[in-house]
Amino acid sequence: MEAIECRDVWMIYKTFLERETVALQGVNLKIEQGEIFGILGPNGAGKTTLISIMSTILVPTKGEVKILGLDAFKNTKFVRRKINIASGSRMPWGLRVYECLKFYAMCYGIKDDKKVEELLEMFELKDHRNLRFDELSAGNRQKLNLARALLNDPEIIFLDEPTANLDPDVAKRIREFILDLNEKGKTVVLTTHNMREAEKLCDRIAFLKGGKVYAVGDLNYFKKLIKKREKIVVEFSGEVDLKSLKYPYELDGNKLTVFVEDSEKEIVDLMVKLQGSKIESIKVEGVTLEDVFIEIAKLRY
């Protein structure tokens, strides 16, 4: 049984003048239990809209969403006991850290403090328990937001840009928390603009473009999809006839990056084409998710 299944999901907004804006178009998606699943795409692709629908915050214009085998909008009360979402860092600003968690615990019908204390410990917030939310750093606000999302011990956790605008050390700690949650059997669905983060965390990824799912798979699948498995990075001096190159390439000053499927087969031919210049250095690297993202963003769909 899938953790989440979307069938032909559409989201159409109507403006004040009754004009329609299509945010999602016929989204079909299956997310397995126990995986970390990434939803990527350029701004305006529909990532936040999709995660809001899957977490029952928004009702789609049409289509079906199943959570743990149940229709999410016919069994909303039960489904919401099984899921939670951390989106942004919105909390009652006047409440202290402990009071925030206690307030939301009461909303979930949790009367004792055991769960609250466990989460304060887990997210390293015990020393900040008496600080107001508006006194917290951005990193601690995000930790508190994650702690709140775990109060009901959800099976599925939705994270919308969990490390956005955080310092590198705090972002690293948040990623460690996400991996820890997944090791405990939680299904994690996240959106992010950080390609390296998605590459480190996600088992599979869906690329959204123009409100549609362009493709779903792991990094190797996307490398095959764009037919770029490796890149040859050459630093050179002198003139290069780039018109003679048969491969996709990027030129940044005196650094040439050439994308190929098999570097062993192509590197000799590349050296022949560069023989009129002086090669300062050459190295072969694997194609990253960022390279894939840039290529897919260029495609018309």
Side-chain angles (χ1 to χ4, degrees):
M1 180 176 65
E2 289 84 15
I4 304 166
E5 182 178 5
C6 298
R7 294 180 182 174
D8 193 30
V9 171
W10 289 72
M11 191 67 194
I12 302 172
Y13 295 101
K14 286 191 176 181
T15 67
F16 178 72
L17 298 175
E18 293 298 308
R19 294 176 181 171
E20 292 186 347
T21 299
V22 181
L24 294 176
Q25 304 183 56
V27 170
N28 292 290
L29 196 61
K30 290 182 180 181
I31 299 173
E32 302 297 329
Q33 285 184 284
E35 71 176 333
I36 300 179
F37 190 91
I39 299 174
L40 308 183
N43 289 330
K47 302 183 297 297
T48 298
T49 300
L50 179 57
I51 210 171
S52 297
I53 287 172
M54 290 191 292
S55 58
T56 72
I57 293 173
L58 291 178
V59 178
T61 306
K62 68 174 182 176
E64 184 180 26
V65 178
K66 287 190 174 183
I67 304 292
L68 300 171
L70 296 173
D71 187 307
F73 299 101
K74 291 180 180 177
N75 304 275
T76 306
K77 190 173 181 180
F78 178 81
V79 163
R80 284 180 176 173
R81 295 181 192 148
K82 302 292 184 180
I83 66 174
N84 215 319
I85 182 169
S87 178
S89 54
R90 304 180 190 93
M91 291 277 183
W93 282 66
L95 292 183
R96 303 183 189 279
V97 168
Y98 167 79
E99 293 170 340
C100 281
L101 290 181
K102 184 65 177 176
F103 169 76
Y104 284 105
M106 291 171 66
C107 293
Y108 289 115
I110 302 168
K111 296 179 180 179
D112 62 53
D113 281 0
K114 183 180 178 181
K115 189 66 176 180
V116 170
E117 295 297 336
E118 285 178 358
L119 291 169
L120 288 172
E121 180 75 35
M122 178 180 177
F123 286 96
E124 302 162 350
L125 291 168
K126 291 195 86 168
D127 292 341
H128 308 289
R129 64 186 295 131
N130 292 319
L131 290 180
R132 292 196 317 272
F133 182 75
D134 60 346
E135 296 175 322
L136 295 175
S137 66
N140 283 329
R141 288 181 188 179
Q142 187 62 294
K143 287 180 183 179
L144 182 58
N145 199 28
L146 287 171
R148 180 203 54 76
L150 293 177
L151 277 166
N152 63 327
D153 195 24
E155 293 182 36
I156 303 169
I157 304 164
F158 298 95
L159 305 175
D160 192 11
E161 300 281 354
T163 62
N165 304 316
L166 297 184
D167 291 336
D169 58 331
V170 179
K172 181 175 181 291
R173 193 73 188 101
I174 296 295
R175 287 193 289 270
E176 289 170 354
F177 285 134
I178 293 170
L179 290 171
D180 287 343
L181 292 173
N182 185 241
E183 286 179 6
K184 293 174 182 175
K186 308 292 186 187
T187 302
V188 180
V189 182
L190 62 87
T191 68
T192 181
H193 279 98
N194 187 326
M195 298 299 109
R196 290 184 181 180
E197 178 172 274
E199 198 167 343
K200 289 177 181 178
L201 292 177
C202 298
D203 299 303
R204 292 191 304 138
I205 293 159
F207 268 99
L208 264 63
K209 191 173 181 184
K212 299 178 182 179
V213 175
Y214 177 82
V216 180
D218 59 14
L219 179 57
N220 286 330
Y221 169 78
F222 283 103
K223 287 179 181 179
K224 292 176 183 177
L225 187 68
I226 65 168
K227 297 181 180 178
K228 293 180 179 180
R229 300 182 62 83
E230 295 178 301
K231 54 186 179 182
I232 304 171
V233 182
V234 183
E235 293 192 12
F236 66 94
S237 57
E239 297 296 321
V240 176
D241 181 15
L242 296 178
K243 293 180 181 179
S244 66
L245 293 179
K246 64 178 181 180
Y247 332 97
Y249 67 86
E250 294 174 358
L251 183 64
D252 181 12
N254 67 337
K255 185 170 81 171
L256 175 68
T257 302
V258 178
F259 296 93
V260 297
E261 284 196 66
D262 188 338
S263 61
E264 290 188 8
K265 291 181 180 179
E266 308 291 358
I267 198 166
V268 173
D269 184 54
L270 178 61
M271 291 301 96
V272 170
K273 289 181 169 54
L274 296 176
Q275 60 184 345
S277 63
K278 180 182 178 182
I279 305 299
E280 305 289 350
S281 68
I282 184 167
K283 59 183 176 180
V284 176
E285 299 176 353
V287 168
T288 66
L289 189 57
E290 186 172 0
D291 297 320
V292 173
F293 181 91
I294 291 170
E295 277 304 303
I296 290 177
K298 292 177 183 176
L299 299 175
R300 303 182 88 182
Y301 181 54

